Amino acid sequence: MGVEGKSLNISSVVKEAAASDGGGTSNGNGKDATSLIPSSSISIDISLPVPEMKPGIIELCKDLFGKWSSLDDSHFSVERVSGGITNLLLKVAVKEASSDYVFLTVRLYGPNTDLVIDRKRELQALPFISAAGFGAELLGLFANGMIQSFISARTLSPSDMSEPKISAEIARQLCKFHQVKVAGSREPKLWSDIFKFLKQAESLEFDDKEKQAKYKTISFKEIRDELNALKNLTDRLDAPVVFAHNDLLSGNLMRNDEEEKLYLIDFEYGSYSYRGYDIANHFNEYAGYDCDYSLYPDREAQYLFLRNYLEPERPHEADDKVVEALYVETNTFRLASHLYWALWAIIQAKVSPIDFDYLSYFFLRYDEYKKQKEDCFSIANEYFSTGSINGYYL
């Protein structure tokens, strides 16, 4: 796992429970796998500075892991790792009585994120994801977050993802990830999630007059019509349904350069969805934090990725027709990614305490959707009509 220091031997029990699950929602003893994870009712105030948060984090660790209950508080150190839109990540170092160090990651959920993230779905999936060897190991749960093993690796930058070697690594890892089987319904969640976002987004009201005026310029009827047309188009693709990450941006990819090992992390948006959507959503993230969509990978870069995804061991042997079909599938779902995050942004504009112009982000993503729509629809319809895209690439 690339975990620094010693690791807690908790999640191995959960891994065994998940691995023995025959596709239901519980293990052989009738228990949900997450019920085997230590849990606490303690809640941590995410708005506090890290030094003020530290006593609560120490109390939490002692509550979850009994062997540390008698350790002096000086044996614990806490530092901020990163703070995303929906999470705050902290690194905790614990010096045990033996003088060995254990390193943990504490993940605190952002306020109101339950409106855009299905936490129950996330927790149901994590033991199965961990059992398959992905991400950090789940070690403990608490009222507004979780504790996981610490991965010793660097977080990728958006530009890293376009490096051919790393792009091929991501493709191979994503292929493996898409083979994970998670208990519960395997119906794709993409469209039900998007239409749920639409329903939430179209009934909001903002106290800020400027925000409200900007919000009122949005035509939700137009968005609904666009969604219906795009869903009808993607339905014709008959795209394979896989357990998808759904948020494979650079911040959710880590790499230990010495070991040349890549990690997919943070599966809070994970669900059964369409293969092409997960790949397309990743490609959209090449735009980086500045949302420069001119960085979307060209055909050559996409084909490198797709060949490594389809034939991880022998990418040069990937069938050209199969690669072309996946290219069409991916670039059709490219549009769905823009609509998903556009609607997500409207909800965040209302509920998120983070100082970020979410409404402008909505318009940025929706405008990019409209900019790419004609070409993406044309290439899909060309493929449906002729079985080929006849050299027409985006």
Side-chain angles (χ1 to χ4, degrees), residues 182-203:
V182 172
S185 170
R186 293 180 183 174
E187 287 295 312
K189 302 296 184 185
L190 175 63
W191 294 110
S192 60
D193 284 350
I194 290 180
F195 280 104
K196 180 183 75 174
F197 285 178
L198 175 62
K199 185 176 181 181
Q200 291 175 319
E202 64 186 353
S203 59

Side-chain angles (χ1 to χ4, degrees), residues 124-330:
Q124 182 185 43
L126 278 176
F128 298 90
I129 294 169
S130 182
F134 288 97
E137 298 183 2
L138 179 62
L139 303 174
L141 300 169
F142 57 100
N144 63 326
M146 63 179 66
I147 293 183
Q148 297 172 289
S149 60
F150 181 79
I151 295 175
S152 179
R154 68 178 179 91
T155 303
L156 295 191
S157 67
S159 61
D160 285 327
M161 298 193 303
S162 62
E163 290 290 327
K165 181 179 178 180
I166 294 178
S167 175
E169 284 183 54
I170 296 170
R172 292 191 292 268
Q173 281 290 301
L174 189 59
C175 172
K176 183 181 175 185
F177 182 77
H178 283 170
Q179 296 171 39
V180 173
K181 303 300 180 188
V182 172
S185 170
R186 293 180 183 174
E187 287 295 312
K189 302 296 184 185
L190 175 63
W191 294 110
S192 60
D193 284 350
I194 290 180
F195 280 104
K196 180 183 75 174
F197 285 178
L198 175 62
K199 185 176 181 181
Q200 291 175 319
E202 64 186 353
S203 59
L204 299 176
E205 188 169 339
F206 293 86
D207 296 330
D208 184 285
K209 290 182 179 179
E210 187 177 339
K211 282 186 178 180
Q212 181 66 14
K214 202 171 186 180
Y215 170 77
K216 293 299 284 185
T217 67
I218 300 170
S219 171
F220 288 101
K221 180 184 183 304
E222 177 184 284
I223 295 174
R224 186 176 295 276
D225 290 343
E226 295 291 344
L227 284 170
N228 285 326
L230 181 58
K231 182 179 183 303
N232 289 338
L233 185 69
T234 60
D235 284 348
R236 296 174 63 190
L237 293 166
D238 196 25
V241 175
V242 297
F243 190 83
H245 186 286
N246 294 325
D247 191 26
L248 205 57
L249 73 167
S250 61
N252 287 336
L253 290 160
M254 301 182 75
R255 191 175 191 269
N256 184 309
D257 293 324
E258 290 183 7
E259 299 176 5
E260 294 194 334
K261 184 167 184 180
L262 184 80
Y263 298 90
L264 277 62
I265 64 168
D266 286 2
F267 309 98
E268 58 190 358
Y269 287 97
S271 70
Y272 276 98
S273 190
Y274 303 98
R275 172 187 67 177
Y277 175 81
D278 214 14
I279 297 171
N281 190 70
H282 172 65
F283 286 168
N284 274 336
E285 293 297 343
Y286 279 43
Y289 305 112
D290 295 328
C291 299
D292 180 359
Y293 290 104
S294 69
L295 298 175
Y296 189 86
D298 61 18
R299 181 186 67 85
E300 183 180 355
Q302 288 190 54
Y303 269 42
L304 171 71
F305 186 100
L306 300 177
R307 289 183 183 280
N308 278 275
Y309 176 89
L310 290 166
E311 293 288 348
E313 301 300 322
R314 297 175 298 277
H316 60 283
E317 295 182 11
D319 183 274
D320 289 344
K321 282 291 185 183
V322 177
V323 175
E324 182 181 69
L326 184 50
Y327 176 85
V328 174
E329 178 187 325
T330 298

